Amino acid sequence: MGIVSDPAARAAETAAQEMTDGFNLVIEALKLNGISTIYGLPGIPITDLTRKAQAAGLRVLSFRHEQNAGYAASIAGFLTQKPGICLTVSAPGFLNGLNALAHATVNCFPMILISGSSEREIVDLQQGDYEEMDQLAIAKPVAKAAYRVLHAEDIGVGIARAIRAAVSGRPGGVYLDLPAKLFAQSLPADAGRQSLIQVVDPAPRQVPAPDAVKRALDLLKSAKKPLILLGKGAAYAQADANIRKLVESSGMPYLPMSMAKGLLPDTHEQCASAARSYVLPEADVVLLIGARLNWLLSHGKGKTWGGKGHKDWGGQKFVQIDISPQEADSNVRIDAPLVGDIDSCVSALLAGMNEKAGGWAKPSAEWLSAIHEKKSKNVAKMAETLAKNPTPMNFHSALNVVRDIVKANPDAMLVNEGANALDFTRSIVDMYQPRKRVDVGTWGIMGVGMGYCVAAAVETGQQVIAIEGDSAFGFSGMEVETICRYNLPVCIVIMNNNGVYKGTDVDPTGRDPAPTVFVKGARYDKIMEAFGGVGVNAGTPDELRRAMEEAIRSKKPTLINAVIDETAGTESGRITSLNPTAAKKA
Ligand code: ADP
Ligand code: MG
C-alpha cells in the first residue's frame, strides 16, 4: 500500500487501471444511443467486437451470410425508427452487406452498416493487405452517408453522425468504416467517456409551412373524386392515429401500397384496393402520403392513370406529403407539395379542416358508390376463385388458408417475397394492423426473406409468417439454421411450384434443366428438420392449415413445403411488362 510518489509511476498505475479501447467505445456509444441489437457475422477484425458486445448486454444475432444480416438490420430500422445495425468483416463480408445497404437507402430505411477494414496505409498504397479494399469509396454511391473513424477518440462522433444521417430527414443506409487498428487503440477511460455523444433529437420533427398547407387544403377542397395513397413512408412514420383520423374524417377512399397495408385494416370500407384499376384513372385529386410516384405507381402517368398513351398524363392533380423536399415533380407535376414529417403534415391538414373551417367537403356520392360497386364485384369474383379446391393446390387455394390464418392472428408479422407468391399474397391476404407486412420493397428484389424473419421476430416479439416463392427462399434459405439456433417463432411457407415463375420450362436441346426450373418435388421441409425445427410437407389446403395452426400454437421454427401446381404462375408475376421479350410483344 502507501502512496506512490513517483509521478511517472503514478500515471502508469492510473492508466493501467482506467484505460478503454476502441472495442469498448463502439459498444458504449451504441448503448448510449439506445441501440440494443446487432445483426452480423463475426470474423477478422470484428470477432472480439461481437463477443464483447454480447458480454456488455447487447443482443448479437449471428447470421450465415452478411446479406441476410443486412436485410435484417434494414427492416429492424423500418420497424423501430432506430437505425438497424449490421456488422461485417472487411472486403468480402463488407461487399455481401452492401446489397442490404443499398436496399436500405433505396427503401428509406434507417440502417448502419459497420464494417471492419484493413490497414489504411497499406490499402491506400495498394500493397496487398489481407482483404484489401477501399470500402469507404465503394460504399459511398449506395449510402445516404459514409464515414470512417481513424482514432478511438472520434468513435463517439462517428457513431453520432451515422445515427443522425440514418434517421433524420429521409431515412437511409449509412456506412461506417472502422479499420482494424482502431479497435485496439487505447485511451484513458475518462477521456473515452467524454468523447461519446448521446444524440439529442436524432430525427427532428419537420413542420410544414402554413402556405404549403393552405395550398394543399385548397386543392383537396376542390376535389370531386379524391383519393389517398398511403405508402410505406406513412407506415414508417408511426402516425397511425392521425392518418386514420384524416382518412375517416375526410371520407376519402384510399389505396395502401404494399407495406402500408394494415395501416387501416384492409377490410375498411374506405379501402379501395379491390377497385384499384378503377380509382387510379378516375381520381381527380390524389393525396400521396409517404409514397413515391416510381415504377410501382407507373410513374403517375400512362394508361394506369387514365392517360391515352404510355407516358400520357391522366389529368390528376397531386398533393404530396414527403419529408424529402426533392421528391416532388420527380415524375409528374406536383401541384401542392407538402414537405415535412408525416405526422406534422397530417396534423396540419386535420387542423385546417376542423369544424370551424367547415370540415371536409365530402367526396361526391357518385364517386363513392361507383367505387363500392367495383369493389363488390371484384371481391365476389375473388371469393369464387378462393373457394375452388383444385388438385394439386394452386396459389389461390393455398393463400386462402394463409388469409384465414392472418385474419385469426392479426398481431403476426407477414414476410413476403417471390414473383407470383408475392403478387397473389399481396392481393389475397388482408392485413389488419400497421407495419405487419414487410416485403420486397422498392426494388422488388428477392433475398430479403429469412433476414426479415429474424429481425421481425426479434424486434416485435410476435409470431412471424413468411410466404416465400421457392426461388425467393433459395437466396437466404441457409438462415433457417439461424432461426432454429435462436428458436424464433417463425413459420415459413414455401410455395413450391418447382421453379422460377413456374416449373414447366424445358431445355429445347434436351441437355439440361431449363434455366427457370428446380429439382422437381423438392422437400424444403427437410432443411428445417436438419436443424431441429419442424418440417411439414403439405399437399392440400387442409394439411397447410393444420401445419400453420400448429406452428403458431407451438411457436416452434417451422417450414411448410406447400406443393403447388407447377403450371400455376405467370412469367415475372404481375410485372411481365418489364420483361424485354414480353414488352416487345405488347
Ligand atoms: P411505397 O413504395 O410504399 O409507395 P416509397 O418508399 O415509394 O413508398 O415512399 C416512401 C416515401 O416516404 C419516401 O419518399 C420518403 O421520403 C417518405 N418518408 C419516409 N419517412 C417519412 C416521414 N417520417 N415523414 C414524411 N415522409 C417520409
Ligand atoms: Mg416458384
Side-chain angles (χ1 to χ4, degrees):
M1 293 260 301
I3 296 162
V4 184
S5 52
D6 174 4
R10 198 167 59 221
E13 187 183 285
T14 336
Q17 283 167 352
E18 288 190 87
M19 293 299 280
T20 189
D21 62 13
F23 285 117
N24 285 319
L25 289 171
V26 171
I27 293 162
E28 290 310 317
L30 292 174
K31 283 176 75 172
L32 186 64
N33 285 289
I35 288 168
S36 55
T37 308
I38 293 175
Y39 300 91
L41 206 158
I44 295 172
I46 50 108
T47 312
D48 274 345
L49 184 60
T50 60
R51 290 197 187 104
K52 286 169 194 268
Q54 188 172 54
L58 284 165
R59 187 134 198 230
V60 180
L61 293 139
S62 220
F63 285 69
R64 306 301 296 262
H65 190 287
E66 291 87 352
Q67 180 169 306
N68 306 318
Y71 284 140
S74 75
I75 207 66
F78 168 76
L79 292 170
T80 64
Q81 296 184 325
K82 276 188 197 156
I85 306 292
C86 175
L87 183 61
T88 65
V89 304
S90 36
F94 156 80
L95 286 174
N96 287 344
L98 210 54
N99 209 325
L101 182 70
H103 171 76
T105 304
V106 164
N107 282 275
C108 317
F109 298 159
M111 162 184 172
I112 305 174
L113 173 64
I114 301 180
S115 183
S117 61
S118 304
E119 298 309 329
R120 286 304 328 146
E121 294 82 351
I122 304 181
V123 172
D124 288 347
L125 275 170
Q126 298 181 29
Q127 294 174 306
D129 200 3
Y130 166 74
E131 297 187 348
E132 176 180 299
M133 176 170 274
D134 188 359
Q135 297 172 193
L136 186 69
I138 291 168
K140 266 184 188 161
V142 298
K144 182 182 171 194
Y147 306 105
R148 176 186 290 134
V149 181
L150 290 176
H151 302 293
E153 58 265 37
D154 292 330
I155 286 172
V157 169
I159 298 235
R161 298 212 74 191
I163 291 172
R164 271 196 195 284
V167 299
S168 63
R170 171 183 276 179
V174 175
Y175 178 60
L176 188 62
D177 192 87
L178 303 182
K181 260 190 196 167
L182 180 77
F183 297 112
Q185 282 176 21
S186 60
L187 71 159
D190 266 357
R193 260 191 301 276
Q194 296 259 346
S195 72
L196 299 184
I197 295 175
Q198 186 172 14
V199 178
V200 176
D201 196 12
R205 289 183 57 200
Q206 295 187 31
V207 180
D211 57 330
V213 175
K214 182 170 183 308
R215 194 183 298 120
L217 285 170
D218 287 346
L219 187 51
L220 288 168
K221 273 185 213 158
S222 74
K224 299 272 173 305
K225 301 193 218 168
L227 175 68
I228 297 175
L229 256 167
L230 300 172
K232 61 175 154 342
Y236 173 79
Q238 300 193 13
D240 310 339
N242 272 334
I243 288 175
R244 188 174 190 133
K245 209 159 144 194
L246 177 83
V247 170
E248 291 183 341
S249 66
S250 71
M252 293 194 260
Y254 73 94
L255 274 183
M257 298 298 285
S258 176
M259 278 175 59
K261 276 165 70 76
L263 215 43
L264 291 91
D266 283 339
T267 48
H268 195 283
E269 62 163 345
Q270 286 169 259
C271 179
S273 290
R276 183 187 166 98
S277 59
Y278 172 71
V279 290
L280 287 179
E282 286 293 324
D284 60 357
V285 177
V286 179
L287 169 58
L288 298 161
I289 308 185
R292 287 172 286 186
L293 285 173
N294 55 20
W295 70 282
L296 289 159
L297 282 167
S298 310
H299 304 282
K301 53 195 166 192
K303 289 188 176 150
T304 309
W305 291 85
K308 282 185 215 70
H310 178 54
K311 291 202 161 167
D312 276 354
W313 178 46
Q316 289 84 357
K317 303 227 172 224
F318 290 97
V319 178
Q320 182 161 33
I321 299 181
D322 205 289
I323 201 148
S324 165
Q326 286 163 280
E327 185 54 36
D329 304 328
S330 56
N331 286 275
V332 295
R333 180 174 61 231
I334 301 299
D335 302 275
L338 198 51
V339 175
D341 70 89
I342 285 170
D343 208 15
S344 298
C345 291
V346 171
S347 302
L349 291 181
L350 283 168
M353 281 294 196
N354 62 18
E355 290 311 318
K356 229 168 57 209
W360 296 91
K362 294 285 152 100
S364 77
E366 298 84 75
W367 177 228
L368 297 182
S369 69
I371 295 172
H372 183 74
E373 196 179 308
K374 299 279 173 207
K375 255 178 80 171
S376 318
K377 219 186 266 169
N378 289 338
V379 167
K381 208 156 76 189
M382 179 61 94
E384 211 174 283
T385 316
L386 290 179
K388 287 185 191 144
N389 192 2
T391 315
M393 262 192 309
N394 62 12
F395 285 101
H396 289 90
S397 59
L399 287 169
N400 188 36
V401 172
V402 177
R403 174 187 163 96
D404 290 346
I405 300 274
V406 170
K407 186 174 184 183
N409 300 276
D411 291 335
M413 293 293 305
L414 183 72
V415 173
N416 188 203
E417 63 174 340
N420 292 284
L422 176 84
D423 292 332
F424 287 125
T425 305
R426 187 178 55 235
S427 59
I428 292 170
V429 178
D430 289 328
M431 303 306 296
Y432 299 87
Q433 293 179 18
R435 291 171 297 284
K436 294 297 186 186
R437 186 189 153 86
V438 289
D439 66 25
V440 302
T442 303
W443 268 342
I445 36 119
M446 295 196 214
V448 296
M450 297 304 104
Y452 273 22
C453 283
V454 172
V458 166
E459 300 293 341
T460 70
Q462 300 288 347
Q463 173 70 41
V464 178
I465 297 168
I467 306 300
E468 300 272 315
D470 51 344
S471 163
F473 174 72
F475 290 80
S476 65
M478 193 63 204
E479 303 297 345
V480 294
E481 189 276 330
T482 311
I483 289 167
C484 288
R485 186 165 14 109
Y486 294 104
N487 195 25
L488 300 172
V490 175
C491 171
I492 305 154
V493 179
I494 311 249
M495 298 286 176
N496 186 359
N497 64 350
N498 294 345
V500 182
Y501 309 134
K502 46 168 95 180
T504 49
D505 272 9
V506 286
D507 173 357
T509 73
R511 183 174 50 189
D512 281 324
T516 54
V517 276
F518 298 141
V519 168
K520 305 251 180 194
R523 291 288 302 274
Y524 291 98
D525 48 313
K526 303 268 187 199
I527 302 180
M528 201 55 149
E529 288 175 352
F531 304 109
V534 178
V536 182
N537 190 53
T540 66
D542 279 347
E543 286 168 6
L544 175 59
R545 190 181 302 271
R546 271 199 300 278
M548 288 188 80
E549 281 170 354
E550 178 54 23
I552 289 168
R553 198 201 54 73
S554 73
K555 298 207 161 291
K556 285 190 188 144
T558 300
L559 192 155
I560 305 165
N561 184 56
V563 183
I564 302 289
D565 183 355
E566 69 170 8
T567 66
T570 53
E571 177 95 8
S572 311
R574 296 249 169 104
I575 52 175
T576 310
S577 62
L578 297 181
N579 185 328
T581 326
K584 213 169 114 196
K585 278 188 213 142

